[in-house]
Amino acid sequence: MNLYKLVFRNLLGRKNRFIFTLSGITLGIIALVVLISLGAGLQTQIHKQANDLGANLIVTAKGWCAYEQVKVLSGKQLPDAIPPEELSKIEKIQGIKTYPYLTVGSAINNEPVSVTGARITEIKELKKWKTAQGDFPKASDKYGIVAGSAIAENFKLNIGKVITLRGKEFKVTGILEATGTGDDGVLFIDLDTAREAYETKGRISFIGIKVDDINKVDYYSNLITDSANVAVLSDRQLLSSVLSVVSSVSTTLNIIAVIAVLAASFGIINTMLTAIYERKKEIGILKSMGSSNIQIFNIFVVESGLYGLIGGVLGLLIGTLTAFFITPLIAQNEFTAFIRSTEVSGIIATSDMMLILVGSIIVAILSGIYPALRAAKLTPVEAISYE
């Protein structure tokens, strides 16, 4: 009988066992695909977020940890830790442009919202903002708000809507076009008004720095730390710091998914060992008809490998579809709050898919080697005499 016909007959002859064993490795591959998609989507969005910040250097208070650096990208509330005199010292340095931010919080309908005080006229030029509705607050419009697209949609903010922040009434004058970044979820108000309303005594949260000569980033970084009592990060250092936080979480989750695949391999071993005991007579007959040990070995290895192949293909298909719907929900946590959840889902690279499929087949084949060796070592007499 043809080897592959024999293998498929044996697999499909016990459909329930085949389905349950296949389900184990399929679920493991689904988990792996979803978590890899999540990690890849998060890293893509973090790069996008860092580029959107538009700064070559970021000035923060000394001693901030990676968690606080994540919030620089998110627009979430940060301590008002940089006093006005330090800002003044930095603004006197020639060859740089400063963009100070005060990130605070408030609530609309008892739900927390992010509020950022900034020099809106300068920021809109830096970030190339455009309004979808209304316009940016004028210089004389001290209590104007420009709202991100997502927060405007979530809270049904229209032009002219009055919002009370710290007991003062602000009016929405403009709604930004969607940027696909954390800016979509923030209310922007004038920096000086924010400092006054939130009584920070002139303190701000952090400063974005744009340098005139990109080749002198390190020079300006040293100059700022020599001039003021602050810490300075380059945009690359900030990106690396944030990515390290996300990567550590992503790596841990991927390891868990790999363990799930390995656990499924024990199901294959168990299934194949059971199959050998049930098919000893069949093995004995095949050997009596002249089948060699290697041919018997191949039958069980091919059977085992098919679990990896079919489970891998199903896992990739279902996992990709699942990732599209599930990853936005998984991404809704504090570390990734600056990322629009709808932007996280994505299809993993073809090379990664091939790697997962090959890995699935290899794991399944390795799982089948021990049972296949046991089957190959059976003598015809031993196999046929089995009851």
Side-chain angles (χ1 to χ4, degrees):
M1 180 179 287
N2 181 279
L3 170 65
Y4 294 101
K5 286 184 178 179
L6 181 64
V7 168
F8 278 107
R9 188 200 70 182
N10 290 331
L11 285 176
L12 299 178
R14 294 168 178 80
K15 291 181 181 175
N16 289 338
R17 183 191 300 164
F18 173 70
I19 291 171
F20 283 121
T21 304
L22 190 65
S23 298
I25 197 160
T26 301
L27 288 173
I29 298 297
I30 290 173
L32 195 57
V33 171
V34 169
L35 294 175
I36 289 177
S37 298
L38 173 65
L42 288 175
Q43 292 194 17
T44 300
Q45 287 304 309
I46 288 169
H47 280 280
K48 184 176 180 181
Q49 196 76 29
N51 290 334
D52 180 71
L53 190 60
N56 306 119
L57 296 170
I58 296 89
V59 177
T60 68
K62 286 186 174 178
W64 277 15
C65 63
Y67 181 71
E68 288 165 319
Q69 291 167 359
V70 168
K71 290 187 174 183
V72 169
L73 294 183
S74 71
K76 296 292 181 183
Q77 186 168 2
L78 282 166
D80 49 340
I82 300 178
E85 53 269 24
E86 302 299 339
L87 174 61
S88 298
K89 292 175 185 176
I90 297 170
E91 287 181 322
K92 290 177 182 175
I93 297 174
Q94 298 296 315
I96 63 172
K97 175 72 176 175
T98 57
Y99 298 90
Y101 296 87
L102 174 62
T103 54
V104 290
S106 187
I108 299 177
N109 301 332
N110 295 321
E111 290 188 37
V113 294
S114 298
V115 179
T116 293
R119 294 168 180 163
I120 294 176
T121 304
E122 297 175 358
I123 295 298
K124 76 174 183 180
E125 298 297 330
L126 176 69
K127 298 194 175 192
K128 313 296 183 190
W129 278 346
K130 293 180 180 178
T131 54
Q133 298 178 43
D135 204 351
F136 294 96
K138 295 181 172 57
S140 58
D141 196 358
K142 188 177 176 183
Y143 293 101
I145 289 179
V146 61
S149 60
I151 195 170
E153 181 181 349
N154 291 342
F155 292 97
K156 303 187 185 309
L157 303 180
N158 299 315
I159 303 301
K161 173 81 172 180
V162 175
I163 300 173
T164 302
L165 303 176
R166 301 282 287 190
K168 299 182 183 299
E169 291 188 344
F170 289 74
K171 184 181 292 185
V172 177
T173 65
I175 296 172
L176 294 175
E177 289 183 354
T179 62
T181 68
D183 291 346
D184 292 343
V186 178
L187 298 175
F188 292 91
I189 61 176
D190 176 69
L191 177 64
D192 292 333
T193 305
R195 291 195 284 197
E196 177 186 327
Y198 284 84
E199 300 175 348
T200 67
K201 298 180 179 178
R203 293 188 298 271
I204 56 173
S205 301
F206 69 94
I207 309 167
I209 302 286
K210 191 82 174 174
V211 302
D212 291 345
D213 186 349
I214 192 67
N215 296 315
K216 294 183 178 178
V217 169
D218 291 337
Y219 165 76
Y220 286 117
S221 175
N222 293 330
L223 195 58
I224 291 170
T225 51
D226 289 342
S227 304
N229 185 27
V230 293
V232 181
L233 286 169
S234 70
D235 53 347
R236 291 184 179 180
Q237 287 172 322
L238 176 66
L239 182 62
S240 175
S241 179
V242 175
L243 284 175
S244 68
V245 174
V246 175
S247 294
S248 62
V249 176
S250 179
T251 301
T252 303
L253 294 175
N254 287 344
I255 290 173
I256 294 172
V258 169
I259 290 173
V261 174
L262 293 176
S265 70
F266 287 99
I268 296 176
I269 295 174
N270 184 56
T271 295
M272 299 309 296
L273 285 173
T274 304
I276 290 170
Y277 281 110
E278 292 176 349
R279 289 156 53 191
K280 275 190 173 180
K281 281 192 174 180
E282 177 186 314
I283 295 169
I285 292 170
L286 287 172
K287 286 205 166 186
S288 300
M289 294 172 65
S291 296
S292 64
N293 288 347
I294 191 66
Q295 287 174 315
I296 300 298
F297 178 85
N298 287 340
I299 290 172
F300 286 92
V301 167
V302 170
E303 279 187 33
S304 182
L306 280 175
Y307 279 112
L309 174 62
I310 300 171
V313 171
L314 289 175
L316 286 171
L317 292 175
I318 301 172
T320 301
L321 187 64
T322 304
F324 184 79
F325 295 102
I326 296 298
T327 49
L329 301 177
I330 299 175
Q332 290 177 356
N333 59 70
E334 187 64 24
F335 274 113
T336 59
F338 57 97
I339 295 170
R340 289 190 68 193
S341 56
T342 54
E343 303 283 350
V344 175
S345 58
I347 298 175
I348 62 175
T350 304
S351 57
D352 289 337
M353 287 188 179
M354 293 304 299
L355 193 61
I356 291 173
L357 182 59
V358 171
S360 172
I361 295 171
I362 290 175
V363 167
I365 289 175
L366 291 176
S367 303
I369 287 178
Y370 172 67
L373 285 174
R374 292 195 59 174
K377 287 180 180 177
L378 285 174
T379 64
V381 174
E382 182 185 5
I384 293 175
S385 62
Y386 174 75
E387 292 293 342

